[in-house]
Amino acid sequence: MSDERTMPGGPERGDPERGDPGRGDSGPGGPEPEGIRFFGTTWVQHDGGYALRRAGVAVGSLALAAAGALVLRLAFQGMESGDVGPFVSVLVVAGFAVCSALAFRRTWEGFAARPDPSSANATDRSGQGLLLIGFIGSLLAYFCRSLVEAPGEKLRRTEYEAARARHARRRETRTGNPAAKKNSGPKKNSGPQSPKSKKRR
């Protein structure tokens, strides 16, 4: 599971340099906050039912994790009744446990840092398979993170504030000091030089 998709109606992973005047950024043409799945851009000012959304994500992810664990338990009971042997049962249980732990770690790290673009394509398929098998670990990561903040909020807030700072610096650079620009302009000659002055040179 990835938190990079957004709710319907919320902005997709937009360019943070686009403007969003209604969100208290640095003005028209300034950076736009990136939406988070299930939260949109409510994480910026913690409005729009932000607390209820967090509670909903926490309860929902925990309920889905419990339902997934129940389904896996029924599947393991079916394997035992099929007389596959204890060795195969232990292997299956250990495999799901390891995949869940790795999925938890991968999802948790995705809340704090962007994946490396150079290695993203190489590990994309393996990562999707890992998250699919260990979906319980990924759901538990969502539950634990939702107790603190919207999943991925800290990362996006850091990027958003950095984009606002860069935008403010660019505006100051473009505006500058008009008096300094006039003084630094090229000096005009007072008039044409006489032929005598040219000969003296």
Side-chain angles (χ1 to χ4, degrees), residues 166-178:
R166 288 194 301 269
H167 178 72
R169 286 196 298 269
R170 283 198 296 269
R171 289 184 64 185
E172 291 177 359
T173 303
R174 285 195 299 265
T175 304
N177 187 355

Side-chain angles (χ1 to χ4, degrees), residues 56-196:
V57 169
V59 173
S61 57
L62 185 60
L64 288 175
L70 179 61
V71 171
L72 290 179
R73 178 178 175 81
L74 295 176
F76 293 148
Q77 288 179 351
M79 290 178 57
E80 291 176 357
S81 62
D83 221 8
V84 296
F87 180 72
V88 177
S89 299
V90 170
L91 279 181
V92 173
V93 172
F96 272 101
V98 170
C99 288
S100 296
L102 293 175
F104 181 93
R105 179 182 176 184
R106 183 183 179 90
T107 305
W108 189 268
E109 290 177 349
F111 296 147
R114 301 275 186 186
D116 186 5
S118 60
S119 60
N121 295 331
T123 59
D124 187 38
R125 292 183 179 179
S126 61
Q128 289 180 354
L130 179 65
L131 294 177
L132 182 62
I133 298 173
F135 66 97
I136 294 179
S138 185
L139 289 170
L140 290 177
Y142 263 83
F143 168 73
C144 295
R145 196 68 177 184
S146 298
L147 298 177
V148 181
E149 63 175 9
E153 176 181 344
K154 184 177 180 180
L155 171 64
R156 282 156 180 78
R157 189 174 298 279
T158 302
E159 293 176 344
Y160 178 50
E161 291 177 353
R164 290 182 63 183
R166 288 194 301 269
H167 178 72
R169 286 196 298 269
R170 283 198 296 269
R171 289 184 64 185
E172 291 177 359
T173 303
R174 285 195 299 265
T175 304
N177 187 355
K181 289 182 179 180
K182 290 181 180 179
N183 293 334
S184 61
K187 295 181 179 180
K188 296 181 180 180
N189 295 329
S190 58
Q193 295 180 349
S194 61
K196 293 183 179 180

